[in-house]
């Protein structure tokens, strides 16, 4: 669909965001994506790459879904719904990555694409095979924006500084790289946006809330996808998404024994 057609259509109807990622029963992954899209008045169409067994204290394992079935499911959704943006989260192995690359180059071509690369859960347990680096780079090459945290950016690119890592990911083909929590400061979170044709990175700084939270990265990436689905510029989509995450964390559900869960529903009100 041409951009102009898409813009005209999203004026009149609910934007549709295709979210592809892992199911986390404890509130990150697909669950975070659904809640974020709903809070931002977008429809989440969800395709699951893996079922994880975890709570916020740790990952006990995961089971990968069938990449061919996943492809058929995406084709089926795309044949019915006017997709406005796509967000990719957990991709457990290179077979799934290859299936997604085929989709990005085929059915999903031209769709704004947010790639949120994931190597490990916050607890440190792996959520992707050791050889997924190349698979992530293939997906990042097709992204409108990719949202690695500092550790992910360095691990995927081989860069030893945030700037070197971001430049290497841009060189792969990503249109923009938002490195989250890019600086080591205890009282603020600094996100840095590097654009393929830009000069110095754009700095975004926010107060850091005390405590630990589960699923903030997924929430941010999904909220950016919602902004892109509404045809916002990338800069505006990122600013609005960061403000949304900030509100969701400020009102987080403090119900489990470990990490708090961002309250995406409460974040919609302001
Ligand atoms: N996706 C899944 C399925 C997960 O289990 C997790 C973390 O446990 C994530 C994504 C990433 O979570 P976060 O947003 O905290 O980086």
């Amino acid at each position: 669909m041409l951009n102009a057609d898409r813009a005209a259509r999203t004026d009149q109807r609910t934007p549709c965001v295709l979210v592809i990622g892992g199911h986390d029963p404890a509130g990150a992954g697909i669950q975070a994506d659904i809640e974020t899209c709903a809070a931002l008045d977008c429809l989440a169409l969800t395709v699951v790459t893996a079922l994880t067994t975890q709570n916020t204290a740790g990952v006990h394992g995961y089971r990968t879904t069938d990449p061919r079935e996943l492809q058929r499911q995406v084709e089926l959704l795309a044949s019915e719904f006017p997709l406005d943006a796509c967000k990719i989260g957990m991709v457990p192995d290179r077979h799934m990555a290859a299936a997604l690359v085929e989709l990005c180059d085929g059915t999903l071509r031209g769709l704004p694409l947010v790639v949120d690369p994931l190597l490990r859960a916050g607890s440190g347990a792996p959520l992707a095979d050791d050889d997924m680096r190349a698979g992530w780079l293939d997906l990042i090459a097709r992204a409108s924006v990719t949202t690695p945290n500092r550790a992910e950016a360095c691990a995927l690119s081989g860069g030893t500084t945030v700037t070197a890592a971001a430049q290497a990911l841009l060189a792969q083909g990503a249109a923009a790289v938002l490195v989250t929590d890019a600086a080591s400061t205890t009282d603020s979170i600094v996100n840095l946006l590097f654009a393929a044709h830009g000069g110095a990175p754009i700095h975004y700084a926010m107060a850091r809330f005390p405590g630990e939270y589960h699923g903030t990265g997924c929430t941010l990436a999904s909220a950016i996808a919602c902004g892109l689905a509404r045809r916002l510029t990338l800069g505006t989509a990122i600013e609005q998404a960061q403000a949304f995450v900030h509100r969701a964390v400020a009102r987080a559900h403090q119900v489990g024994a470990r990490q708090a869960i961002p309250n995406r529903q409460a974040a919609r009100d302001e």
Side-chain angles (χ1 to χ4, degrees):
M1 194 187 303
L2 295 172
N3 284 352
D5 295 344
R6 198 179 282 130
R9 297 193 62 179
T10 49
D11 283 347
Q12 299 151 19
R13 60 158 175 80
T14 306
C16 295
V17 181
L18 176 67
V19 291
I20 301 173
H23 179 256
D24 170 7
I30 287 282
Q31 189 168 322
D33 299 329
I34 295 171
E35 291 178 8
T36 300
C37 291
L40 294 171
D41 295 319
C42 291
L43 179 67
L45 299 156
T46 56
V47 184
V48 174
T49 56
L51 296 174
T52 71
T53 307
Q54 63 177 308
N55 59 17
T56 74
V59 177
H60 290 241
Y62 59 85
R63 188 156 57 88
T64 303
T65 57
D66 179 344
R68 295 291 155 218
E69 265 176 44
L70 176 134
Q71 281 183 324
R72 279 198 295 277
Q73 182 58 70
V74 171
E75 305 281 0
L76 208 53
L77 291 171
S79 72
E80 177 177 8
F81 294 92
L83 302 178
D84 298 298
C86 175
K87 180 232 158 180
I88 296 178
M90 178 178 176
V91 180
D93 63 29
R94 61 195 168 85
H95 306 293
M96 189 63 76
L100 290 171
V101 164
E102 274 180 32
L103 286 168
C104 290
D105 290 345
T107 306
L108 304 180
R109 198 182 185 86
L111 204 60
L113 174 64
V114 180
V115 174
D116 183 24
L118 178 66
L119 296 171
R120 296 178 176 280
S123 60
L127 284 173
D129 283 1
D130 287 345
D131 64 358
M132 251 305 284
R133 181 169 172 259
W136 277 122
L137 293 179
D138 283 345
L139 289 166
I140 285 170
R142 289 155 173 84
S144 313
V145 62
T146 182
T147 56
N149 61 31
R150 187 171 35 146
E152 289 161 346
C154 292
L156 291 171
S157 66
T160 51
T161 64
V162 166
T163 301
Q167 295 300 346
L169 296 180
L170 289 175
Q172 289 292 317
V177 178
L178 181 70
V179 182
T180 61
D181 215 356
S184 315
T185 79
T186 47
D187 55 357
S188 65
I189 292 181
V190 176
N191 296 341
L192 293 179
L193 177 64
F194 298 79
H197 306 295
I202 299 173
H203 283 60
Y204 304 94
M206 284 149 288
R208 187 191 299 278
F209 291 101
E212 282 184 46
Y213 301 88
H214 191 67
T216 51
C218 312
T219 307
L220 178 70
S222 284
I224 295 171
C226 290
L228 296 181
R230 290 189 183 282
R231 316 308 301 163
L232 301 181
T233 63
L234 179 61
T236 305
I238 288 173
E239 278 169 29
Q240 292 190 0
Q242 290 177 149
F244 178 81
V245 175
H246 188 82
R247 295 196 297 274
V249 170
R251 296 158 184 192
H253 301 289
Q254 304 274 357
V255 284
R258 290 287 296 268
Q259 299 171 317
I261 315 290
N263 188 337
R264 295 123 193 158
Q265 176 67 22
R268 66 175 298 150
D269 294 334
E270 286 172 19

